[in-house]
Amino acid sequence: MTPLARISGRLERLAGRLLLFAPVCLGGGVGGYFALPAEPGWTGWAAILLAAALAALLGLRLARGRHAGLGFLALGLALVLAGFLVAGLRTETMRAPVLGFRYYGPVEGRVIRIDRSASDAVRLTLDRMRLERVAPGALPERVRVSLHGAQGYLDPVPGNRVAMTAFLSAPEGPVEPGGFDFRRMAWFDRIGAVGYTRAPALLMEPGERGFGGIAVNRLRQRIAVAVRGAIPGEAGAFAAAITTGDRAQMSAEALTALRGSNLAHLLAISGLHMGLLTGFVFTALRYALALVPGLADRVAIRKIAAVVALQAGAFYLALSGGNVATERAFIMVSVMFGAVLIDRRALTLRAVAIAALAILLVQPEALTEPGFQMSFAATTALVAAFGALRDWRGWQPPRWLQGPVGLFVSSSVAGLATAPFAAAHFNQVSHYGLLANLLAVPVMGSLVMPLAVLAALLAPLGLSGLALGLMRYPIEWILWVAHRVSGLDGALGHVPAPGPWVLPLIAVGGLMAVLFAGRARALGLVPLLFGFALWAEVERPLALVAGSGGLVGVRGPEGRALSKPSGDGFAATVWLENDGDPVAQEVAAARRGFTGARGDRRARIGPHLLAHLTGQGAAARALAACGEADLVIASVTVEAAPEGCRIYDAARLAETGALALILQDGMLHVVSVAATSGARPWTGVAR
């Protein structure tokens, strides 16, 4: 047997799993597109399209020949290239104007979304914009504004047209090179400007009546208000969050407790909620129909129950706002109940693959979001684990123990599968998350969600308060568990942000272990362990500079020391979290690392001296510092810097964005956000 035939034979064993590998290959192409330093251009896109078509044709031809395994490989390559095309097409279709300057003045628009900012301020997303002195063709399609100060003149409702005087600017880039790029997220949300107001926002016109997204958002708000009215306190805010997706009234303390106990997923309307709701509707209706004498003999009550449960899931999807996790969950239950309708096995990896393909084809940018990654990691691991247990021929727990064992297994598997992604995105690990989930998830499934369905059924009769009143107590139990578990000593650990290759390697290793057959699954350990090894050896930059020039952070013996105790607070928070050291900014500013008076700071980076100048007279002091410092950072524009002075002032930082300083072979290297983000449509370079 020739080597080519041997390779083809090995690959042919996987040919029957092409559907399972399809979203992996498509996702690889999507990820490759977002990692590009620049857009391919028309010539590049034509070449990718041609290569994808040729690979698909070659794959189809080989699949019918003696080297069918190589056909599987060619089809996989075609899907990777298709991922590039899908992501590029999506980027172009989401193109919308971005505000090109800092704006202060009247802002008028229609409210389409209400949430809260990181500082806990009410935040409005507006469309149908009107800005003074901005031409219609340059108007952002959507604007997001945080409401600060006294705001007693407006009770925002989706659909209302509001006006205010606000500061606006284009969405900002990462606070450090390689960090989260809000500009990309804003691009796909068509948000062309963000800002804030300290003046009262005013109602211009009430929302128009009708159907569509605004009507659904208005219904969500009415339901959320009714739920909070029937259930007082934090439990009511929790109930509103899990029924409508409205977290606006959740306190920062409760959110912190839920995150610290690894119960924050209970707030996200995702697979758990969708599965519990549709599963309860399906089971309850099936049993109810079975009670009708002779009905089960005449009609397929199982299929009737599946159709009604699917409709309940569709309504829940619309009500929740339709985030990626909810969409994935709805596609999953759609496939599951579709299988019931055609008398097939409901829960398989194929259902997960179809859900992933559907989302990647419609919203390829979801691949980069933690919700997508954690949701599919948990679902894939659970389906694979329970599939293996279904075929298990060893010891079986007694019937009375099957429920607790199943809960323990599902919580453990889901927790292990999502832990690397949660740690990478949120820089924390909940050490007692399994305990909290074992205490809270059964209550969520057996009491909270059934009572929520009952409340919805009683609402037309005006009796929903009865079910909501009972719903209060299990929710209070969940919140009590969150507070107690998160308050335990050592409940929360912190980890540094991983490098760019860590999560892809971990994901590939996990997928190989699930999708490969036989002993080949063990090969997944190679990228998995390599990814964790890279994470363990990650080195954070020796120094970081905010894009405004107003803050510098230098790594020292006590952790990162900051040049100021206040100002550029968001950058400071992100830097410290990414270091795995989330202390308060004033604590980091008190650490050893900087010398000198406020506004005239000095720090050593190896043999090099860095000067950080802010405040009144900073330009003159920056020029004077050129004679002693190897690198000068100024928060103002410095005119006519001496030749040979290595200076980053406000004007230069506006072009480069935030900086990371790295010491290599005794040389101080500067890495900028502009260099790492590349020339992409959302960076403002390739528009």
Side-chain angles (χ1 to χ4, degrees):
M1 181 181 292
T2 65
L4 192 64
R6 189 179 296 110
I7 294 172
S8 177
R10 290 183 180 275
L11 290 173
E12 197 169 347
R13 300 174 189 173
L14 299 175
R17 296 192 164 200
L18 180 60
L19 178 60
L20 303 184
F21 281 94
V24 178
C25 296
L26 190 72
V30 170
Y33 168 78
F34 286 119
L36 290 174
E39 296 299 298
W42 292 111
T43 304
W45 284 124
I48 293 172
L49 178 61
L50 179 62
L54 291 175
L57 290 172
L58 178 63
L60 292 173
R61 181 166 185 175
L62 288 173
R64 294 191 293 267
R66 51 186 294 199
H67 296 308
L70 297 180
F72 172 78
L73 200 62
L75 290 173
L77 175 61
L79 283 168
V80 171
L81 296 172
F84 274 88
L85 295 168
V86 167
L89 179 62
R90 171 72 170 174
T91 298
E92 283 302 309
T93 58
M94 298 304 289
R95 186 178 291 274
V98 176
L99 195 64
F101 60 96
R102 292 188 177 276
Y103 172 90
Y104 174 71
V107 175
E108 186 179 327
R110 182 182 66 163
V111 178
I112 59 172
R113 185 181 178 190
I114 306 167
D115 61 353
R116 285 190 177 271
S117 67
S119 60
D120 206 34
V122 174
R123 188 167 59 188
L124 307 179
T125 303
L126 311 174
D127 70 352
R128 300 185 183 178
M129 299 303 305
R130 186 180 300 162
L131 302 178
E132 195 174 69
R133 304 182 310 277
V134 178
L139 275 174
E141 187 170 316
R142 292 179 180 176
V143 167
R144 202 167 75 177
V145 184
S146 297
L147 307 183
H148 296 277
Q151 294 291 337
Y153 299 92
L154 175 68
D155 183 15
V157 175
N160 286 354
R161 190 163 187 84
V162 299
M164 65 200 74
T165 301
F167 295 87
L168 297 178
S169 61
E172 294 186 355
V175 297
E176 64 174 81
F180 169 71
D181 196 342
F182 173 69
R183 295 172 300 185
R184 185 171 67 190
M185 188 183 80
W187 177 273
F188 288 102
D189 286 339
R190 295 191 175 216
I191 295 175
V194 295
Y196 66 94
T197 180
R198 297 193 182 279
L202 304 174
L203 175 67
M204 300 296 289
E205 298 175 14
E208 68 273 15
R209 296 184 178 275
F211 298 97
I214 294 297
V216 171
N217 283 332
R218 202 177 296 127
L219 175 62
R220 289 175 63 201
Q221 188 173 56
R222 284 203 300 267
I223 294 175
V225 170
V227 169
R228 289 194 294 266
I231 306 177
E234 202 67 65
F238 185 99
I242 64 171
T243 51
T244 67
D246 179 9
R247 304 188 199 179
Q249 302 304 315
M250 289 291 296
S251 70
E253 181 184 3
L255 290 171
T256 299
L258 288 164
R259 292 190 188 107
S261 58
N262 199 27
L263 292 178
H265 67 93
L266 296 183
L267 283 179
I269 299 179
S270 57
L272 175 65
H273 302 71
M274 186 69 73
L276 291 175
L277 181 135
T278 55
F280 175 77
V281 171
F282 174 77
T283 304
L285 183 59
R286 188 180 175 191
Y287 281 126
L289 292 175
L291 294 175
V292 179
L295 183 63
D297 295 328
R298 296 193 302 271
V299 297
I301 59 174
R302 187 166 175 260
K303 296 182 179 182
I304 294 174
V307 171
V308 175
L310 191 56
Q311 291 174 338
F315 177 74
Y316 196 34
L317 172 66
L319 195 64
S320 70
N323 60 46
V324 171
T326 319
E327 290 174 349
R328 188 272 310 162
F330 179 69
I331 295 171
M332 279 287 297
V333 299
S334 299
V335 174
M336 182 179 72
F337 288 124
V340 170
L341 294 175
I342 60 175
D343 300 313
R344 297 289 181 89
R345 181 182 290 177
L347 198 59
T348 65
L349 284 174
R350 285 184 172 82
V352 182
I354 291 171
L357 276 173
I359 292 177
L360 288 173
L361 288 171
V362 177
Q363 294 181 349
E365 70 276 10
L367 178 74
T368 63
E369 298 172 3
F372 178 95
Q373 296 169 12
M374 294 173 66
S375 179
F376 276 100
T379 306
T380 303
L382 285 169
V383 172
F386 280 99
L389 289 175
R390 186 175 54 241
D391 300 330
W392 174 256
R393 293 293 177 265
W395 176 82
Q396 298 287 340
R399 182 177 294 274
W400 64 270
L401 198 58
Q402 287 179 358
V405 169
L407 173 64
F408 177 80
V409 170
S410 59
S411 296
S412 302
V413 169
L416 287 172
T418 58
F421 301 95
H425 289 290
F426 306 117
N427 305 109
Q428 62 183 35
V429 178
S430 176
H431 295 143
Y432 303 123
L434 177 58
L435 172 64
N437 277 273
L438 291 174
L439 293 173
V441 171
V443 175
M444 189 79 176
S446 61
L447 293 175
V448 176
M449 293 309 292
L451 286 170
V453 174
L454 183 60
L457 295 175
L458 293 176
L461 304 176
L463 300 175
S464 61
L466 296 175
L468 292 174
L470 293 173
M471 191 175 166
R472 168 186 175 182
Y473 302 104
I475 290 178
E476 287 181 343
W477 163 259
I478 292 172
L479 292 171
W480 181 85
V481 169
H483 284 284
R484 288 302 298 268
V485 171
S486 63
L488 295 173
D489 290 339
L492 204 59
H494 301 283
V495 296
W501 286 102
V502 169
L503 282 187
L505 284 168
I506 291 174
V508 167
L511 288 168
M512 288 171 65
V514 170
L515 300 183
F516 282 10
R519 288 179 294 180
R521 295 178 185 224
L523 293 174
L525 287 173
V526 176
L528 196 67
L529 294 176
F530 188 41
F532 281 114
L534 286 178
W535 197 346
E537 297 298 322
V538 69
E539 282 195 26
R540 296 283 296 148
L542 286 176
L544 291 165
V545 179
S548 66
L551 186 70
V552 175
V554 176
R555 211 173 73 203
E558 301 171 298
R560 192 169 301 277
L562 301 179
S563 59
K564 294 196 305 183
S566 61
D568 286 281
F570 179 71
T573 300
V574 174
W575 291 350
L576 293 166
E577 287 180 350
N578 286 346
D579 288 343
D581 181 29
V583 299
Q585 182 173 351
E586 54 269 23
V587 173
R591 290 170 171 168
R592 289 176 294 166
F594 283 91
T595 59
R598 180 181 176 89
D600 198 337
R601 308 285 274 164
R602 301 290 188 276
R604 284 275 173 194
I605 306 175
H608 303 279
L609 180 65
L610 178 145
H612 181 217
L613 295 310
T614 60
Q616 189 173 5
R621 286 183 281 117
L623 289 174
C626 283
E628 59 169 319
D630 299 289
L631 183 67
V632 178
I633 307 296
S635 63
V636 297
T637 299
V638 179
E639 303 290 346
E643 187 176 347
C645 179
R646 198 176 184 188
I647 184 169
Y648 283 83
D649 64 351
R652 190 174 182 185
L653 286 168
E655 298 175 357
T656 64
L659 307 175
L661 308 183
I662 301 169
L663 198 62
Q664 289 182 346
D665 300 325
M667 299 292 293
L668 191 62
H669 297 271
V670 178
V671 180
S672 69
V673 162
T676 55
S677 297
R680 309 307 300 274
W682 49 83
T683 65
V685 179
R687 288 181 186 162

